[in-house]
Amino acid sequence: MKIYYDDIFFKHEPRGYHPENPNRLKIVKRALEDKGLWKNVVKPKRADVKDLLKVHDEDYVKLIENSCREERFIDSDTYVCRESWNSALIAFGCAIQCVENAVKDKDLHLALVRPPGHHAGRSGIAFNAPSLGFCLFNNVAGAVVKAKEFLDEVLVIDFDVHHGNGTQEIFWNDLSVIHIDFHEYGIYPGSGALEDTDGSKVNIALPHYSNDDDYIYAWNEVVEPILADVKPKLVLVSAGFDAFKDDGLATMELTEKFYAFAGSRLRDFSVVAVLEGGYSIGLKRGLPAFVEGYLEGYDVEGVRPSAKVVEIAKKLREIHDLR
Ligand SMILES: [Zn+2]
């Protein structure tokens, strides 16, 4: 595994309390250190504005730059400070750098970046969301654009508890970008219904309080046939850990079990995992479980999903013609 990390990300900092704060990365670092996994740390590279413009409109990039200079909130959820511009460029550049390395080096490339990105659409707010949800530039979208230089099809799996509306909007109608999004349906940002697709976007919209077995069942029924069909060399992951039970912003009830399972199911591929959400216990326990699953494998037996999730998976298999 390669860890991409820099203390510079602490400088993107709220003035008062905010769940998306520098302590998140301290939690991750400590959790990986405790497991002896904090090694092979690579310094992230800063992106150029021209890289941002492959994903975002110029007006939006200027709005963010000016807001950082003036330390002006972007919206009620999304703060910036003077240093946020630099952090956001390094986070975006880091995701691109991970792809450049991952196509040559089959491994888990873990981008521990802030600010997060998956809610940021081409010109800001995506799919009528109420806000940018703590995101400035869509880091994983930068990774997708880079990956398209090497691959005919790019696969993104987003298991953050919130719908990756920004990523989905940016690549809507680009059928070469397959985006599978697990999310709690009915919370922020409100998008990502089961039926919503352009042909290559798969919305695993799960009910409140879904647990490990629900997620694992949905993965087996929906993600596995897509992986078998696409046979990706590289998988991009929008890696949020806020679906962990009691992480704080949602009702899902995941534990280490799902994250270890997800990591183990991606062992055959080179993986770029870009940090999205996760605010407390999800970072402490979910993220290391994902890493260990990838490095060591993890077996699951006797999965017992809810009847509702069985129904959802069946519907998704019909919508996307999965066999
Ligand atoms: Zn989230």
Side-chain angles (χ1 to χ4, degrees):
M1 174 178 56
K2 313 287 181 307
I3 294 172
Y4 298 71
Y5 169 85
D6 195 320
D7 288 345
I8 198 113
F9 293 127
F10 294 166
K11 294 192 171 179
H12 170 60
E13 193 176 21
R15 245 174 265 156
Y17 174 75
H18 193 287
E20 204 295 285
N21 62 61
N23 194 47
R24 296 178 58 233
L25 289 183
K26 293 181 189 168
I27 295 171
V28 172
K29 185 168 185 239
R30 208 171 306 135
L32 291 174
E33 279 172 348
D34 286 349
K35 300 228 172 228
L37 294 169
W38 190 262
K39 45 196 175 193
N40 305 323
V41 181
V42 181
K43 196 176 169 63
K45 285 186 193 157
R46 194 175 191 264
D48 294 324
V49 168
K50 69 172 182 358
D51 299 316
L52 295 177
L53 296 177
K54 293 174 186 169
V55 166
H56 295 291
D57 291 344
E58 197 170 2
D59 285 352
Y60 176 66
V61 173
K62 282 199 172 129
L63 169 82
I64 299 297
E65 187 176 17
N66 291 333
S67 301
C68 294
R69 194 180 303 123
E70 294 160 17
E71 305 209 300
R72 199 164 13 95
F73 262 64
I74 312 288
D75 56 51
S76 59
D77 286 341
T78 314
Y79 68 86
V80 287
C81 62
R82 283 187 88 86
E83 297 297 329
S84 301
W85 173 250
N86 193 40
S87 282
L89 280 172
I90 296 174
F92 196 88
C94 180
I96 294 171
Q97 174 190 9
C98 282
V99 170
E100 287 168 343
N101 292 343
V103 291
K104 292 178 287 193
D105 170 27
K106 180 185 167 285
D107 204 343
L108 172 59
H109 298 262
L110 183 62
L112 297 179
V113 298
R114 303 179 49 247
H118 72 153
H119 297 307
R122 193 164 286 280
S123 57
I125 285 175
F127 292 158
N128 297 314
S131 75
L132 278 161
F134 322 157
C135 297
L136 299 182
F137 300 128
N138 195 315
N139 307 317
V140 89
V144 169
V145 170
K146 177 51 72 176
K148 286 176 70 149
E149 291 177 17
F150 303 98
L151 307 166
D152 295 333
E153 288 181 308
V154 180
L155 181 67
V156 184
I157 299 175
D158 183 330
F159 56 63
D160 186 281
V161 79
H162 303 100
H163 182 228
N165 56 325
T167 315
Q168 201 156 90
E169 183 237 57
I170 289 167
F171 299 108
W172 198 259
N173 287 334
D174 179 344
L175 299 188
S176 71
V177 180
I178 301 148
H179 175 209
I180 307 171
D181 200 299
F182 287 86
H183 50 275
E184 179 172 348
Y185 191 58
I187 62 168
Y188 176 91
S191 48
L194 279 185
E195 302 78 14
D196 288 353
T197 187
D198 61 357
S200 70
K201 310 300 180 285
V202 180
N203 281 310
I204 306 181
L206 295 171
H208 306 302
Y209 307 104
S210 294
N211 63 21
D212 291 318
D213 281 11
D214 295 325
Y215 269 71
I216 290 168
Y217 182 82
W219 182 295
N220 283 336
E221 292 293 305
V222 179
V223 181
E224 285 301 323
I226 295 171
L227 286 172
D229 183 40
V230 176
K231 298 182 186 68
K233 279 202 187 69
L234 169 69
V235 177
L236 307 182
V237 180
S238 260
F241 297 89
D242 40 7
F244 203 99
K245 185 173 170 38
D246 298 326
D247 187 68
L249 297 190
T251 76
M252 297 311 218
E253 298 185 341
L254 297 186
T255 71
E256 286 88 343
K257 183 177 175 183
F258 168 72
Y259 295 105
F261 164 85
S264 77
R265 286 305 174 98
L266 296 175
R267 297 186 82 196
D268 289 346
F269 316 111
S270 201
V271 170
V272 171
V274 181
L275 185 64
E276 301 286 359
Y279 299 93
S280 60
I281 192 171
L283 296 172
K284 189 177 174 197
R285 288 170 44 187
L287 186 146
F290 176 71
V291 169
E292 286 179 325
Y294 185 88
L295 297 178
E296 296 160 20
Y298 182 80
D299 289 330
V300 166
E301 277 166 45
V303 177
R304 299 162 64 118
S306 71
K308 210 164 173 187
V309 169
V310 171
E311 191 56 38
I312 285 168
K314 186 168 170 256
K315 227 178 202 172
L316 282 169
R317 287 173 68 93
E318 285 164 14
I319 292 168
H320 297 286
D321 198 19
L322 303 175
R323 272 169 275 256

